[in-house]
Amino acid sequence: MLDALTGLGVLEYVWLAPLIPLLCFVIAGFFGNRTPQGGGYIAIFGALAAFVVALLASYEYVMSDAYSAGEAFVRDLEWLVFGDYALNFGVYIDSLSCIMMLFASFISLLIFIYSVGYMDGEGKKKRRYYAEVSLFLTGMLGLVVSSNYLQMFIFWEIMGLCSYLLIGFWGFDHPEGDEATENAASAAKKAFLVTRLGDVCLLAGLFILLHMFGTLDYEGMFMQAKIDAVVAANPVKFPVAMALVFGGAIGKSAQFPLHDWLPDAMAGPTTVSALIHAATMVKGGVFLVARSFPLFVQSADVMLFVAIIGGVTAVFTATMALNNMNIKRVLAYSTLSQLGYMVLSLGAGGYLVAMGMETGNAELIGLGVLGYSAGVFHMVNHAFFKALLFLGSGSVIHSTGTEDMRLMGGLGKKMKITSITMLLGSLSIAGFPFFSGFWSKDLVLETALAPASHGLGAEHWFTLLFALGMITAFMTAFYMFRMWFLTFAGKPRERAVLSHGESPKSMTMPLVILSIFAVGSGLAIFANFLCHAAQSLEVGMRWIMDAGRVGINEHVYDGIAVVKHMFGNVWTYVAIALTLVGMAIAHAVYAKRKFEPEAFRIENKGRLYKLVANRYYAPEIYNQISWKLGAGVAKAVDLTDRKVVDGAVNGIANAIIGAGDAVSMSQTGYVRNYAGVVVLGVVVLAVVFVLAFALTGGI
Amino acid sequence: MIPIELVLGFSAALFAVGLYGILTTRRGLVALMCVEIMLNAANINLVAFSAYSGDALGQAFAIFTIAIAAAEVAVGIALMLNAYKTKGTTDIDELTSMRW
C-alpha cells in the first residue's frame, strides 16, 4: 500500500499544491455566489487537495534516496534570461518545505471548514472571503516550494496583498477618521505599508545577492565553494545583504520594530487572524530565515542581531499582552512573543554554527543545528496551538458578540468544547510540561543559553536574551491563563449572559482536531522530528554538517537523548516552575479574586500601565516618523512633480500657444494688406533679380 | 507693326492701374474689376509676345485666360452678392470675420 503511494510520482507534480488553491481562487472568485456557502466548499476542496498533494509528495520525498542522501528535489523551468543572469521558476523540496506545506495546508483546511460556520451570516461577501483565503493559501504554499528567492518574493507579495484584503474585509471605508486601532480599513493599510517597509529591504537584499552570486536559485547558491568565494570577495556587502534580507523577515514576521501592524490586524475576521498567525503570513518571515540559514551562518554578527531582535520582541510584546482586555489582542501579542522565540532560536543557533565554523568546534555546530531545528519545531507547534486559540476565541466572539473580556466570564458552562480546547491550547502555549509548546520552548531557551555557557565573546548578550526568554515564559503563562479565567471562569458578566451557547459543529470539530495536535504535536520530538528538520540543513550546507557530524549526532539525531538532556538541565525545571507560578498568579487574581487586579493600578492612570496600554507608544512613533519623514519626502516629490516636471511640459505647450497667437495677429483680414504684402514681395524679388543680373552681367 | 515696347508699356500701365485700384479701394466690386484689369494686362503681354515671336501659342493662352477670367468673375460676383445678403455690405474692410 505505502509502496504504491511512493510509485504514484506525486513529487513530480508537487507544484499542484499551490496551483489548486489558485484555481479555487479563480473559480470561487467568479462563480462563488452560484455555489452553496459562497464558494466555501470550493476553498475547502482546494485546501484538502493541497494537503493531500503535500502529504503524498512529502511521503514520497522522505522515502526517496534523495532524502537519505541529503539532496533536495529540484525541478526548474527557465523563466527569464537577461545578460549573465538566468531566472528560473520551479520547485525546491527539502524537509523544511515539506513541514511547512503540511502544516500550512492542514491548518488552512481546518480554518476553512471552521469558516463555514463562522462566516455563515455574511451573505454575498462570502464569495470574496473564500476567494481571498484560497489565494492566501496559494501564496504560502508557493512561498515554501519556490526554487529561488525571486519566485519566493512573488508569493511573499501575494500574501502581503491577501493580508491587506482580508484584514480590511469588514470594509474599506474610514467612517471614524484614520485611527488604525478603530477601523478595518486603516488596519489593513497599516499592515500593508509596514510590511512593505520590510519587503523593500528584502528586495534590496536580493538585488545584492543576485549581484554577488549571479543567481538566486537555492540550489546554485547553497554551495560551499560559491559561498566561501562570495564571502571572501565581499566582506562588507555580504553581511549588509543578509541584514537586509532579515529586514524582510522583520516586516513579515512582525518583529520589533515593525511589530505594530499585527495587533491592528485583529480588525479582520477571527478566521483571518488564525490564518495569518498560524498557517501563513507571519510564518513566512521565519521560513525566510530558516531557508536562508546557510547564508546567514556566514556572519556571526548578523546572527547575533537576529537573536537580539527575536529576544527583545519576545519580551517586549509579552508585556503588552499583560493588561489588554481584548481577547484577540492578547492572542495577537502572544503570537508576536512566540515569533520572537522562533527568531531567537534561529539567531542563537546560527550564531553557534557560525562560531563553530570559525573555531572548528563540532560541539557548537551540533548545538546550533539543534537551535535551528528547535525554531522550526516551535513554528509547527505554535501553528497548531495558535490556530486553536484563535478559532476558540472566534467561537467565543461568535457566541457573545463582543471581544471585550470584561464583558465575558463564566462561559465554561455554556461552551464546554470551546472552553476545554482553549484550556488545552493555553496549557500548550504556556509551556505546561508535556504539552507541545513545552518541548519546543525549552529547546529554544536551551539554545539561547548555549552561547553564553560556551564563552564565545557575546556572553552578556546571550545571558540577557536567555533571561528575557525566561521572563517571557513566565509572562506567557500568566497572560494566557488570565485570558482563560476571565473568559471561561467566574460569574457571567453582561455579554456572557446573552451568549447563545456552544457554536455549531463545523466550528467545534476543527477545534477538537486542533486541540489533539496542540497537545500532541510536541511528541514528534520522539519521532526524531529534530532530525527530520535538520535534514533541510544537510541539503543546504552539507559541508558544515559534515564538519559538525559528531556534535549533531549527539544533539539532534536521537530524540530520546535530547529529551534526557533536557531533563538533566536545571533550567528546564526553573522554566516549569516559572510557568506554574504564572498560572497560579493568574488563578489567584482572576479566578479566586484573592487580589483585586484593580488594586495594582491607580484608576488606570499608573504610568507603566499607560505605557503598556499604549503599546509603548509605537503607533505614535510610527505616526511621527511617517508624518515627519514620510510626509516631508512625499511633499518634496509632489512639488518636484508639479513644479518641475509638469512645469516643463506646460511651459513648452504655453510657449507654442503664445507664439501661435502672436503670429496669427499678422492675419488682419484686410484684403488690401494682403495685396500690399504680395506686391512688396514681388518688388523685393524683382529688385533682387535685377541686382543679381546687374552684378553677374546678365544671363 | 507697333513696336513691342509700346505694347508692353501699355500693359504695365494697365497693370499698375489695376494694382493701384486694389490697394486703395474698399469696395468689393471695384476690387474685382481691378483684378480683371490686371488679368487683361497679362493677356495683352501674352498676345504681344505671341505676335512678336510669331508663335500662336500665346494667343491660345490668352483665350484660355479670358475664359477662366469669366468663370472667376462669376464666382467673385456670387461671393459679393452673398456677402451683401448676409452682412449687408460689400466693403472688404468689413468682411474680416474669418481672421484669427
Side-chain angles (χ1 to χ4, degrees), chain A residues 128 161 169 215 263 377 459 523:
Chain A
R128 185 153 67 84
L161 170 70
F169 180 76
T215 176
F377 192 29
E459 297 93 341
L523 300 178

Side-chain angles (χ1 to χ4, degrees), chain A residues 664-665 667-669 672 679, chain B residues 19 22-23 25 93 96 99-100:
Chain A
S664 76
M665 287 299 172
Q667 303 291 326
T668 56
R672 289 174 299 158
V679 172
Chain B
L19 184 62
I22 286 240
L23 291 178
T25 188
D93 280 4
T96 57
R99 66 178 177 183
W100 303 328

Side-chain angles (χ1 to χ4, degrees), chain A residues 496-539:
Chain A
V497 180
L498 304 173
S499 150
H500 42 74
E502 187 58 276
S503 302
K505 276 226 164 53
S506 67
M507 288 167 72
T508 50
M509 190 266 286
L511 287 180
V512 173
I513 297 176
L514 279 171
S515 66
I516 294 168
F517 280 93
V519 173
S521 70
L523 300 178
I525 196 172
F526 293 108
N528 285 343
F529 179 90
L530 299 175
C531 161
H532 289 300
Q535 189 267 353
S536 164
L537 289 187
E538 293 246 36
V539 176

Side-chain angles (χ1 to χ4, degrees), chain A residues 262-387:
Chain A
L262 200 59
D264 284 339
M266 292 303 103
T270 311
T271 46
V272 171
S273 304
L275 203 56
I276 289 177
H277 287 241
T280 61
M281 192 74 180
V282 297
K283 298 291 158 69
V286 180
F287 169 78
L288 175 66
V289 178
R291 175 56 86 216
S292 314
F293 210 65
L295 302 179
F296 271 117
V297 296
Q298 301 300 323
S299 168
D301 295 338
V302 174
M303 289 311 336
L304 178 61
F305 174 64
V306 171
I308 291 170
I309 290 285
V312 168
T313 307
V315 72
F316 183 69
T317 53
T319 55
M320 291 189 264
L322 293 176
N323 68 348
N324 208 294
M325 279 302 169
N326 183 313
I327 185 167
K328 281 173 79 182
R329 286 262 158 89
V330 171
L331 291 174
Y333 291 125
S334 79
T335 300
L336 286 167
S337 170
Q338 300 298 316
L339 286 168
Y341 267 143
M342 295 169 213
V343 172
L344 168 63
S345 180
L346 290 173
Y351 185 79
L352 284 165
V353 173
M355 281 302 170
M357 270 159 45
E358 227 166 72
T359 56
N361 187 339
E363 168 80 13
L364 290 182
I365 294 177
L367 283 170
V369 172
L370 177 67
Y372 169 87
S373 299
V376 175
F377 192 29
H378 199 55
M379 174 159 65
V380 175
N381 291 340
H382 175 259
F384 286 116
F385 58 63
K386 190 47 63 70

